[in-house]
Amino acid sequence: MNETLVERLAAFTADSDYDRLPADVVDESKRIILDSLGCALGAVDEPKGRIGIEYGRMTGGTGGDATIIGAGDKVSVFGAAFANGELINTLDADAVLPPGHVTPYVLPGAMAVGESVGASGKDVIAAVAVAHEMSYRIGKAMDYLRDVKDGKVSPPPVYGYSSTVFGATAAVMKLKGIDRNVLSHGLGIAGSIAPVNSFRAWSEHAPTSTIKYLLAGALTQAALTAAHMGELGHRGDLLVLDDREFGFPRFIGTRRWEPDAVTDGLGEDWRFPAEQSYKPYPHCRILHALLDSLTEIVTENNLKPDEIDGIKAWVEGFVEQPLWVNRTIEHVHDAQFSIAHGLAVGAHALPPTRAWQDPEFVFGDSVMGLMDRVSYEVHPNYVELISGNAASRPARIEVSARGTTFVGERRYPKGSKSPEPESTMTTDELVAKFRGHAEGVLADTTVDQVIDTVLGLETVGDFGDVMRLVGRKDR
């Protein structure tokens, strides 16, 4: 009998040891870890982050062997993974990869289990690489938010990030040293207990739920449950990915299912680094190209917010939904997605750290007043331009001030690899981003230690060394 997709993914997981990883995969995995730790540290005092920490404490007990980032608590792997997933995702500054957000779902379980079992840095790198490659490939097999049909953007009626449960489960089981046969059952279980894909309901219903497009903590706990159920002896559904009619493709509501995208060159051709993107701004990625241009206009011309008569933007082709057109800002969460509010924030040229979500700034008269002078419409060449390159996010902005109209255009936002080399976020830039979010949470000397340790993770004998550093609350 031919191997099922789940069995092939299990074999890929078991075989992908550190020594077999290409250099760019190792490098990208370390960059993901550093960036995510920074995002989490910046979120410890934010509402979603605080709630994640409290629930992690409630479910994690005391005296455990896994660390909640920035809080110092030692709790169970379930409690730590929940809290850390929420922390990474709170600011909406976390890394993105097709099908969208991946890291806050697949990394926290790996970090908690890696610390719990005393895994080496090399082992954690391999687990993180597997989780992202698997999630990327499954994402490429299903519907995508920017799919085009008949010359128009055609978002699927059901969408979300539930499919990351496979990568999250694989990372946990790999770090626990589980053999490929049992791995297969864990992955089969993961597909049967994955959360629903609720993204479209979330984006269509205003005000939007503050758990976002998928509660990161819930996904991490589903993955941990699947991994442990497989390890303890439960049998999983080995056909859950092969059965398009009744299996996982049906569960998640995808109209498209192309399993060749999952298996083609699996284990030899690592594809996720080419599309791994980072977010310089703590705001929904759809606005980033516009924010790049706006920041350039404001800083080069030393424009002050009260000098700006109006901002006109041309945006992505699928954002005419309540989530993005919302102008009623009742919670810092709302500010992360509103086009008008986001551009008003960007015009203040504030360093893009957690300061962007300081309530005094978010609800201040300067931002709220400027928001009323922001307008936008869909970019007329959006479909044509995104069809040429997956990293493309065409954007145009006009800023009216001092009797002049300042114009900026971008095709590729900062943080994505593209034909324009300057769009790639360098490791030095990611280090600077990490420092910005960690400042005031960790001591400067600890910040330096974290950076050096993560960027040299392949030399670390116990991943717990990393988590103990970021668990400190030096304030």
Side-chain angles (χ1 to χ4, degrees):
M1 181 178 177
N2 292 333
E3 281 188 315
T4 66
L5 286 172
V6 157
E7 289 170 324
R8 293 188 68 173
L9 290 173
F12 161 68
T13 301
D15 291 342
S16 297
D17 294 327
Y18 174 86
D19 292 338
R20 300 183 63 179
L21 300 179
D24 66 326
V25 172
V26 171
D27 186 51
E28 208 63 71
S29 299
K30 292 188 294 184
R31 283 158 48 91
I32 288 167
I33 294 170
L34 181 67
D35 184 67
S36 301
L37 292 174
C39 292
L41 288 166
V44 293
D45 291 324
E46 296 298 317
K48 182 175 170 67
R50 290 199 308 269
I51 292 169
I53 291 171
E54 289 304 316
Y55 193 74
R57 289 169 174 161
M58 288 170 58
T59 58
T62 58
D65 50 12
T67 300
I68 296 179
I69 297 168
D73 299 70
K74 298 285 281 190
V75 296
S76 72
V77 294
F78 277 78
F82 187 100
N84 293 338
E86 290 298 288
L87 285 166
I88 291 168
N89 186 234
T90 288
L91 297 176
D92 224 71
D94 48 287
V96 288
L97 176 75
H101 289 264
V102 170
T103 301
Y105 310 124
V106 306
L107 181 59
M111 291 194 302
V113 171
E115 179 181 10
S116 175
V117 303
S120 70
K122 288 182 177 180
D123 288 342
V124 171
I125 289 169
V128 171
V130 164
H132 283 78
E133 181 71 13
M134 190 180 298
S135 299
Y136 170 79
R137 284 173 170 270
I138 294 174
K140 286 294 188 178
M142 65 187 207
D143 286 338
Y144 189 46
L145 198 59
R146 294 173 176 86
D147 283 344
V148 173
K149 182 179 180 181
D150 299 329
K152 296 181 180 180
V153 177
S154 178
V158 181
Y159 193 71
Y161 309 131
S162 181
S163 61
T164 60
V165 74
F166 294 99
T169 302
V172 168
M173 298 186 83
K174 183 171 183 61
L175 286 166
K176 289 172 71 68
I178 294 171
D179 70 65
R180 70 183 59 193
N181 292 326
V182 177
L183 253 163
S184 296
H185 291 289
L187 294 176
I189 293 166
S192 298
I193 66 171
V196 298
N197 262 350
S198 59
F199 182 104
R200 285 303 303 272
W202 172 75
S203 66
E204 293 282 355
H205 301 161
T208 59
S209 168
T210 55
I211 68 167
K212 295 190 176 180
Y213 21 74
L214 171 58
L215 189 69
L219 191 287
T220 67
Q221 293 198 335
L224 285 164
T225 297
H228 286 90
M229 291 301 98
E231 183 183 15
L232 292 170
H234 266 299
R235 180 171 60 202
D237 183 353
L238 302 185
L239 290 167
V240 72
L241 285 174
D242 292 88
D243 188 347
R244 181 169 184 162
E245 180 63 22
F246 300 110
F248 191 74
R250 176 70 72 185
F251 300 169
I252 62 170
T254 184
R255 299 170 298 184
R256 178 170 60 87
W257 185 244
E258 299 174 359
D260 284 350
V262 179
T263 58
D264 180 43
L266 183 65
E268 297 180 3
D269 184 8
W270 290 80
R271 298 175 180 173
F272 85 89
E275 290 195 48
Q276 182 67 56
S277 296
Y278 298 90
K279 299 175 70 173
Y281 309 100
H283 196 283
C284 181
R285 185 65 168 160
I286 63 105
L287 216 60
H288 281 215
L290 288 164
L291 289 170
D292 289 339
S293 288
L294 178 59
T295 299
E296 184 177 86
I297 289 170
V298 168
T299 55
E300 288 186 354
N301 296 282
N302 195 28
L303 293 180
K304 305 304 179 186
D306 59 3
E307 294 182 287
I308 297 175
D309 298 316
I311 298 174
K312 174 68 179 291
W314 284 261
V315 300
E316 291 201 35
F318 67 92
V319 298
E320 294 176 300
Q321 296 173 22
L323 166 67
W324 290 289
V325 302
N326 174 49
R327 290 174 181 262
T328 304
I329 310 301
E330 300 173 336
H331 191 287
V332 291
H333 160 92
D334 300 324
Q336 295 177 9
F337 302 97
S338 168
I339 296 171
H341 191 278
L343 292 176
V345 167
H348 284 72
L350 193 70
T353 64
R354 65 184 185 278
W356 273 38
Q357 289 169 38
D358 181 335
E360 291 189 10
F361 177 63
V362 168
F363 302 112
D365 291 342
S366 183
V367 171
M368 298 299 283
L370 182 54
M371 182 175 68
D372 293 336
R373 305 196 293 276
V374 175
S375 61
Y376 44 83
E377 61 185 62
V378 173
H379 195 293
N381 305 118
Y382 178 71
V383 171
E384 173 191 347
L385 292 173
I386 66 166
S387 299
N389 188 292
S392 183
R393 300 288 183 270
R396 176 183 170 89
I397 194 164
E398 295 179 355
V399 180
S400 300
R402 302 173 185 164
T404 301
T405 298
F406 302 90
V407 179
E409 291 195 79
R410 288 286 194 284
R411 183 169 179 185
Y412 303 101
K414 182 68 175 178
S416 297
K417 297 181 179 71
S418 79
E420 300 174 356
E422 63 273 15
S423 73
T424 298
M425 207 157 177
T426 67
T427 298
D428 285 346
E429 289 171 328
L430 284 176
V431 166
K433 176 186 172 184
F434 175 85
R435 289 187 185 280
H437 286 306
E439 183 179 4
V441 183
L442 301 181
D444 291 345
T445 54
T446 306
V447 170
D448 292 338
Q449 283 182 281
V450 175
I451 293 167
D452 291 343
T453 304
V454 173
L455 294 182
L457 191 57
E458 65 273 21
T459 67
V460 173
D462 179 359
F463 185 71
D465 292 346
V466 176
M467 299 309 294
R468 282 184 284 274
L469 285 171
V470 295
R472 296 171 61 179
K473 197 168 184 180
D474 295 327
R475 297 180 289 172

